[in-house]
Amino acid sequence: MERVTMADVANKANVSKSTVSQYINNRFEYMSLETKKRIECAIDELNYQPNIIARSLKQKKTYTIGVIVANILHTFSTQVIRAIEDECQLKNVNVIVCNADDQPSKERKYIETLRAKQVDGLIIFPTGGNLDLYKKLEKSGYPLVFVDRSVENTDITSVLLDNEKASFLAVDHLVKKGYRNIAFLTTSIEMNITPRIERMNGFKKALQKHNLPLLEQFCAGEQIHKMQEKIHFMFSQDEVPDAIICGNDLTLLEVLKFCRKKSLIIPTDIALVSIDEVSFSEIYNPPITVVTQPSYEIGTYAAKQLLKKADDHEKTEETIIRFEPQLVERSST
């Protein structure tokens, strides 16, 4: 079958090609209801599909953005992606999502692939391992926004949580509840990933504020596959923690596995606070105290910033935008 063209639709509807083009691009200001109906019927009858590639070449936009997530297993990541997709749909912009698995090489491949596909901009949860590429994109003026993490030596707009404050909220709450041997555990800090480093630093500063000792074995970042071993080490010392702050949702899962395996009762044997909400925190027994971040608002803001950059290529005044955390007290403390 021959491809149906815009001219075919125009002839069928007895209108000009420019009128069909206005209809396809949702520009109805000067179009009568009768004309709209004729074009709609012609499109349905001819089964016309707009030539997206031709439109992209003409308008120099693909109406598509890319989102590269460092690790899609994090609940926070999926919530942010949902918000980005919702905001983009309001503007008739499509979203391509890629998962880098915290691997700089995979992230680089996705950046290069999406740029080759001429996406209008990128939202990246950066691994931090492609500084040369980030700076190249920044220098070229390519629309780019970072989420959850910032990268040193760049002025790329970064949207993230006030991570140190999140740790302060957790420590303040535990101290108020009477806990003193407070531990902090998170996933690996080898790549200097912003939220992990900042939350750990916030934990140390909060202990200092309350004149509590910082025991080396009570503060750690570890790879997930070694997490059980690290928690076992914490509990095999002469002095053991009476409360643990989990730096993210994946850490919380590992701590809960350990508690179940060792028959530790929460909060009698060990209190728990998790930074980041998880889907089961309210229905777990006992419900888990969390420090939440406004994931949906962060995703919405990031999408708006990127779409603005893609439209006018103006540099945002603020480089780092931080959102406020909130403590939600439940029965695990």
Side-chain angles (χ1 to χ4, degrees), residues 4 7 50 59 63 90 108 176 179 229 242 257 285-286 315:
V4 177
Q59 299 182 359
Y63 296 93
L90 292 175
R108 176 179 288 270
K176 185 179 177 182
Y179 299 100
E229 183 181 335
D242 56 10
K257 287 179 193 175
N285 188 20
K315 188 173 181 180

Side-chain angles (χ1 to χ4, degrees), residues 105-205:
S105 59
K106 201 172 176 183
E107 177 188 62
R108 176 179 288 270
K109 184 189 79 172
Y110 281 136
I111 291 173
E112 292 171 347
T113 299
L114 290 169
R115 292 232 42 205
K117 290 182 179 295
Q118 302 291 311
V119 296
D120 298 331
L122 290 173
I123 295 176
I124 303 177
F125 298 58
T127 64
N130 288 301
L131 182 60
D132 61 323
L133 188 51
Y134 307 147
K135 292 183 77 68
K136 183 180 176 182
L137 293 171
E138 180 186 13
K139 187 176 180 181
S140 69
Y142 185 74
L144 179 63
V145 172
F146 284 161
V147 170
D148 190 43
R149 307 169 180 187
S150 58
V151 177
E152 290 185 0
N153 303 314
T154 71
D155 290 321
I156 296 166
T157 299
S158 303
V159 187
L160 61 162
L161 184 71
D162 187 337
N163 289 296
E164 288 199 1
K165 185 172 181 179
S167 291
F168 266 88
L169 288 175
V171 172
D172 289 349
H173 171 71
L174 289 168
V175 170
K176 185 179 177 182
K177 288 286 186 177
Y179 299 100
R180 292 297 179 267
N181 288 354
I182 305 171
F184 179 89
L185 187 62
T186 190
T187 37
S188 175
I189 57 173
E190 288 180 4
M191 292 290 292
N192 291 319
I193 292 171
T194 309
R196 300 175 194 176
I197 295 295
E198 290 182 347
R199 291 172 191 180
M200 184 177 285
N201 289 340
F203 168 72
K204 293 175 180 178
K205 291 177 183 178

Side-chain angles (χ1 to χ4, degrees), residues 309-327:
K309 288 172 181 284
D311 282 341
D312 51 33
H313 292 275
E314 287 184 9
K315 188 173 181 180
T316 311
E317 289 183 11
E318 294 178 289
T319 303
I320 296 181
I321 300 94
R322 292 190 183 273
F323 282 73
E324 289 289 306
Q326 182 179 0
L327 180 84

